[in-house]
Amino acid sequence: MSLHRFFQSTPSVFKATIDPTNASFVCLLHNPSILLVGQVYFSLPNPFLGAFTQSIALLFVFGEPVTGVLTGITPTLLEPHVLDLLREADAAVKDVLGKFDLVRKLSQVPVILLPVDFGQEGKYSIAIRTFVTNDFMTGVPACPGTERLPLEALQQMVEQVAQLPGVA
């Protein structure tokens, strides 16, 4: 099954874009339900998870579904208010990691501030990338719904970050 056909046959929770210049593939999964994240992730067909040579990015987007093309970019400079927002988001994520004793189970958990406003002018998006590695040269993302990233922990991260002023 081709990736394009797979996404044509899936529920509207999926939105995908393909960059024909480098055959990369980005999939956004939209749904405010954290339980769906685990269900969707583990129900993806095997070809999606590794048999394709294309570069694949799988992103979970929480909140209201995005419609149309994302064009809203928040002008961003390394100013105190921007760095403070990133520090607050990082602290919220680290707090949850500590509560669930995930600090040693995950090798890296960078919290990234993106200037994408998702239709809320002047706001930012936060990306959380959970990563597991032994050598810090190769590794895999921590899958939602596993012991390395329980859905309840992910839910709390989403809730705490979403409460921050300035986050779309």
Side-chain angles (χ1 to χ4, degrees):
M1 172 186 291
S2 74
L3 286 176
H4 188 65
R5 187 176 306 145
F6 168 69
F7 283 104
Q8 286 179 332
S9 66
T10 56
S12 62
V13 72
F14 292 101
K15 293 215 178 198
T17 57
I18 298 174
D19 178 356
T21 61
N22 66 7
S24 66
F25 193 85
V26 176
C27 171
L28 301 179
L29 286 83
H30 299 271
N31 195 294
S33 167
I34 201 77
L35 293 176
L36 183 67
V37 171
Q39 293 168 356
V40 167
Y41 193 88
F42 291 111
S43 67
L44 291 173
N46 216 15
F48 180 85
L49 296 175
F52 287 90
T53 58
Q54 296 156 313
S55 172
I56 299 171
L58 178 61
L59 308 172
F60 299 105
V61 179
F62 298 95
E64 295 302 315
V66 176
T67 58
V69 177
L70 294 176
T71 58
I73 301 296
T74 301
T76 305
L77 298 173
L78 291 178
E79 297 176 339
H81 75 280
V82 174
L83 296 173
D84 289 343
L85 178 58
L86 179 56
R87 285 184 193 110
E88 289 179 53
D90 188 60
V93 169
K94 284 184 179 177
D95 178 55
V96 174
L97 293 175
K99 284 181 185 175
F100 284 84
D101 196 29
L102 299 175
V103 175
R104 296 208 185 273
K105 292 180 183 176
L106 298 169
S107 306
Q108 297 175 330
V109 186
V111 177
I112 304 127
L113 183 80
L114 303 170
V116 180
D117 67 13
F118 283 95
Q120 299 180 43
E121 191 174 331
K123 292 193 173 188
Y124 298 90
S125 298
I126 300 292
I128 303 168
R129 187 171 193 279
T130 55
F131 195 70
V132 180
T133 181
N134 291 327
D135 58 14
F136 291 90
M137 295 177 68
T138 60
V140 295
C143 302
T146 65
E147 77 172 51
R148 289 190 170 138
L149 186 58
L151 292 178
E152 187 180 347
L154 182 58
Q155 177 70 45
Q156 286 187 23
M157 286 181 203
V158 169
E159 289 171 358
Q160 288 190 27
V161 168
Q163 291 177 9
L164 298 174
V167 174

